[in-house]
Amino acid sequence: MASNITLQHKAPIATTSLRALVKSTKKAVTSPFEWLRQYYSSILGSEVTMRQTLRYLHAQVAFVMAAFFTYESLLVHVAVFVWFIATLVIAAPHHSPDDELSDAQGK
């Protein structure tokens, strides 16, 4: 006699809860950046990728470090100012087509 037996594989509870924990942690970590992405998109009037959002945020941090901190060394001031200028160049909207390709691939 032949009997049809179907085996159902369920993931262990620990694996399922770990996946849920990782998913909720990822959402909690990325939610402020998602808010910033929407904010930058509304200001610029066009859709902004997460990579562009992080570049704009980097430029803001560099500006704060350059403008509002006092350093004893002039060399440190110059280095932070150069860092700020570099972040502006990197965050400029006229980026290369290679950036668009890597943004589309999610890198």
Side-chain angles (χ1 to χ4, degrees):
M1 286 208 260
S3 63
N4 294 334
I5 299 174
T6 55
L7 299 174
Q8 295 180 349
H9 174 70
K10 290 187 178 181
I13 294 174
T15 305
T16 308
S17 62
L18 180 63
R19 286 182 184 156
L21 177 67
V22 169
K23 187 176 181 179
S24 66
T25 303
K26 181 181 176 186
K27 185 176 181 178
V29 168
T30 59
S31 64
F33 298 108
E34 184 62 32
W35 179 83
L36 276 174
R37 187 186 67 77
Q38 293 173 357
Y39 179 71
Y40 290 141
S41 294
S42 67
I43 288 176
L44 297 174
S46 64
E47 193 64 27
V48 175
T49 64
M50 188 59 75
R51 176 174 281 193
Q52 289 171 321
T53 301
L54 294 176
R55 286 178 178 170
Y56 294 145
L57 183 62
H58 189 188
Q60 284 182 318
V61 169
F63 172 76
V64 168
M65 295 293 289
F68 298 115
F69 283 74
T70 58
Y71 304 102
E72 291 183 17
S73 171
L74 180 63
L75 183 63
V76 173
H77 265 294
V78 170
V80 172
F81 183 72
V82 168
W83 173 42
F84 171 60
I85 297 300
T87 59
L88 286 181
V89 170
I90 291 170
H94 53 80
H95 53 279
S96 69
D98 294 336
D99 282 347
E100 291 178 9
L101 180 62
S102 63
D103 282 343
Q105 293 174 349
K107 291 184 179 178

